[in-house]
Amino acid sequence: MAVDYAVIVVYLAGMLAMGWWGMRRAKSKSEFLVAGRRLGPWMYSGTMAAIVLGGASTIGGVGLGYQYGLSGAWMVFTIGLGLLALSIFFSARIARLKVYTVSEMLDLRYGGRAGLISGVVMWAYTLMLAVTSTIAYATIFDVLFDMNRTVAIILGGAIVVAYSTLGGMWSITLTDMVQFVVKTIGVLLLLLPIAVIKAGGFSEMKAKLPTEYFDPLGIGGETIFTYVLIYTFGMLIGQDIWQRVFTARTDRTARWGGTVAGTYCLVYALAGAVIGTAAKVMYPKLPSADSAFATIVKDELPVGVRGLVLAAALAAVMSTSSGALIACATVANNDIWSRLRGVASRSGGEEHDEVKGNRIFILIMGVAVIAIAIALNNVVEALTVAYNLLVGGLLVPILGGLLWRRGTAAGALAAVSVGGVAVIGLMATYGILANEPVYYGLLASLAVYVIVSLATKPTDAAVLTAWRERLAGKGADSDATPAPESVTV
């Protein structure tokens, strides 16, 4: 294992070195939060693929393949579909807005400040996403070093917090690009073919497994529909994803670079399912499907290759964790704390250091994420709560703002409030893992958005004109601020 350890140590040291290098470049708010909006197509594609393909997509994707066969690809496949939809239909317009958060987009569209309610919902989502990614360190470090769960979470979390705090989005972008390369080599080029060969090839896999393991819809239509509703639509509105769109150099980069990343996700989804299916042939009675990835890596891969594949898993977790962490800190600082800061500045407070302030928030949120990850046991429930709140509370007002001219601030506020409360209440009634909360919560949000928007005064023409100009890329700079306040949303 000494060679494997060396591979991991070199990888982790490289992550910290890139954090230090990124600190030298992040001299302004734009540089720190969105890499100066200067990423070209190749770097944009790699980093976008890295953030959406995390531990759930890698370890969880293999686990679903172990449990359901090829249809286990659907979870990660719907993530890819969401990224493709975002890139093709919305990313160019989002990039041209030149904002930093989803709530700032709501400010511009509805003519007011995106109040605490939308910011808090998005903050809760990004926080739990960062927490669930951080918990995954325990699985990887346990395979590597037989390490205590708490120590593993602290070690992995501390490295991510360190390089994210130092260089912000520049550090995260550089590390994500390395992580993308490592994942591609480790999972697609090494683990996938080795797993299939060790299982005896596809003919042997078909001979030893039930036919439903090769049924594309074997996981069930309702499950696939729920994945689409949560993950595909979740990709359209998450702050962690939008913040990467904001890094694109041009709207064309956002569209085509994101399309390449989405296509890569589809390939990654199928690879994970095939690896899991191969693991089922080799280890038919594992105690847990989620242990399939670690088992096949530990038992079947040669020295050195094993270290690289585990580094790939670590890369997958780190990319999602760091992206969610900076998104969480950005929302906490810019959409929640900035309101208190705004009152102070109008009262004669001192000029605020934007980079220093965001760096402090990343550090604070990072410590909170590590503490919650140590205390939390059920990762699936935490992630389900996060996505249910995101989709049930924010999907309708965000897509409504982009697609429906008649949507109003009052309608958006009602949609966020009713959708969020409905999801929480229904989870208490049906259970956190039930499908009904997101189904009915989303329908409630849509209904009140339409009804309240039609029943209230249309959005001011001047606000809509300013909105259309921003969508066209006019009247915006790198440190854009929301439109003048008229209604609180």
Side-chain angles (χ1 to χ4, degrees):
M1 291 291 289
V3 176
D4 296 325
Y5 294 161
V7 171
I8 298 298
V9 170
V10 169
Y11 169 76
L12 294 177
M15 297 300 99
L16 292 174
M18 289 183 184
W20 182 263
W21 186 89
M23 182 177 68
R24 298 166 63 90
R25 297 200 61 169
K27 301 299 184 183
S28 68
K29 178 181 179 181
S30 177
E31 295 280 351
F32 190 83
L33 294 182
V34 291
R37 308 187 196 274
R38 290 191 291 176
L39 297 192
W42 292 112
M43 184 167 282
Y44 178 87
S45 297
T47 57
M48 181 62 87
I51 187 177
V52 300
L53 296 173
S57 301
T58 303
I59 299 171
V62 172
L64 287 172
Y66 182 89
Q67 188 173 0
Y68 298 104
L70 297 186
S71 67
W74 272 105
M75 184 188 77
V76 183
F77 201 83
T78 55
I79 291 173
L81 292 178
L83 186 52
L84 284 172
L86 174 71
S87 301
I88 294 170
F89 299 112
F90 300 109
S91 63
R93 284 184 284 177
I94 293 171
R96 287 195 292 265
L97 289 175
K98 295 292 190 291
V99 294
Y100 293 101
T101 68
V102 173
S103 290
E104 287 182 23
M105 168 265 172
L106 294 175
D107 292 344
L108 292 166
R109 168 58 181 84
Y110 295 111
R113 294 187 180 277
L116 291 178
I117 185 168
S118 61
V120 167
V121 170
M122 188 62 76
W123 173 79
Y125 157 72
T126 54
L127 177 70
M128 296 314 298
L129 184 61
V131 166
T132 54
S133 300
T134 302
I135 290 174
Y137 296 130
T139 301
I140 299 170
F141 283 115
D142 178 59
V143 175
L144 280 171
F145 309 114
D146 193 24
M147 187 178 290
N148 174 271
R149 177 182 183 273
T150 299
V151 175
I153 290 173
I154 293 174
L155 175 60
I159 292 171
V160 170
V161 171
Y163 73 69
S164 300
T165 301
L166 286 172
M169 186 59 82
W170 267 123
S171 294
I172 293 171
T173 295
L174 293 170
T175 54
D176 277 0
M177 198 62 200
V178 173
Q179 289 158 0
F180 169 74
V181 173
V182 171
K183 279 192 290 191
T184 300
I185 296 173
V187 175
L188 297 185
L189 302 184
L190 293 176
L191 183 58
L192 175 60
I194 290 174
V196 172
I197 293 171
K198 292 281 188 178
F202 286 104
S203 58
E204 188 71 13
M205 291 163 62
K206 287 184 178 180
K208 290 187 175 181
L209 294 174
T211 55
E212 55 264 29
Y213 264 71
F214 302 92
D215 180 359
L217 303 179
I219 199 170
E222 184 178 357
T223 299
I224 295 171
F225 178 73
T226 302
Y227 284 158
V228 170
L229 200 60
I230 294 178
Y231 296 113
T232 301
F233 285 111
M235 288 294 106
L236 299 180
I237 59 175
Q239 169 67 26
D240 52 325
I241 309 301
W242 277 42
Q243 198 156 344
R244 293 309 174 96
V245 176
F246 300 151
T247 66
R249 181 187 302 158
T250 65
D251 54 8
R252 183 179 176 85
T253 295
R255 181 185 292 114
W256 293 109
T259 301
V260 170
T263 304
Y264 178 90
C265 291
L266 303 184
V267 175
Y268 200 88
L270 184 59
V274 171
I275 293 168
T277 304
K280 183 68 175 179
V281 173
M282 291 182 278
Y283 310 98
K285 295 182 179 180
L286 288 177
S288 169
D290 284 341
S291 66
F293 179 89
T295 302
I296 195 171
V297 169
K298 192 172 184 178
D299 293 350
E300 302 297 335
L301 299 185
V303 173
V305 173
R306 179 170 51 212
L308 183 59
V309 173
L310 287 172
L314 195 57
V317 175
M318 283 187 159
S319 57
T320 299
S321 180
S322 59
L325 177 59
I326 193 172
C328 176
T330 302
V331 171
N333 188 17
N334 291 270
D335 294 336
I336 300 175
W337 175 250
S338 64
R339 282 149 180 76
L340 300 177
R341 190 188 71 194
V343 171
S345 63
R346 285 194 296 269
S347 302
E350 295 181 1
E351 185 69 21
H352 185 72
D353 184 335
E354 293 282 7
V355 174
K356 180 180 178 181
N358 282 291
R359 187 172 279 136
I360 290 172
F361 265 87
I362 291 179
L363 181 59
I364 293 172
M365 292 298 105
V367 172
V369 163
I370 292 172
I372 296 171
I374 292 171
L376 197 63
N377 289 320
N378 198 316
V379 180
V380 176
E381 288 190 358
L383 196 60
T384 301
V385 170
Y387 270 101
N388 282 355
L389 280 173
L390 177 71
V391 174
L394 290 178
L395 178 67
V396 169
I398 292 172
L399 292 189
L402 289 169
L403 300 174
W404 191 37
R405 176 187 174 89
R406 188 60 179 81
T408 66
L413 177 60
V416 174
S417 303
V418 172
V421 171
V423 163
I424 293 172
L426 290 166
M427 283 192 293
T429 302
Y430 288 97
I432 290 177
L433 299 180
N435 294 328
E436 288 84 357
V438 71
Y439 293 168
Y440 300 145
L442 189 57
L443 288 174
S445 179
L446 177 61
V448 297
Y449 179 71
V450 173
I451 292 170
V452 174
S453 291
L454 292 175
T456 53
K457 183 180 178 181
T459 304
D460 186 85
V463 171
L464 288 177
T465 298
W467 166 252
R468 286 193 296 270
E469 288 179 352
R470 290 293 287 273
L471 283 178
K474 302 175 182 177
D477 55 40
S478 61
D479 292 310
T481 54
E485 181 178 359
S486 60
V487 182
T488 299
V489 180

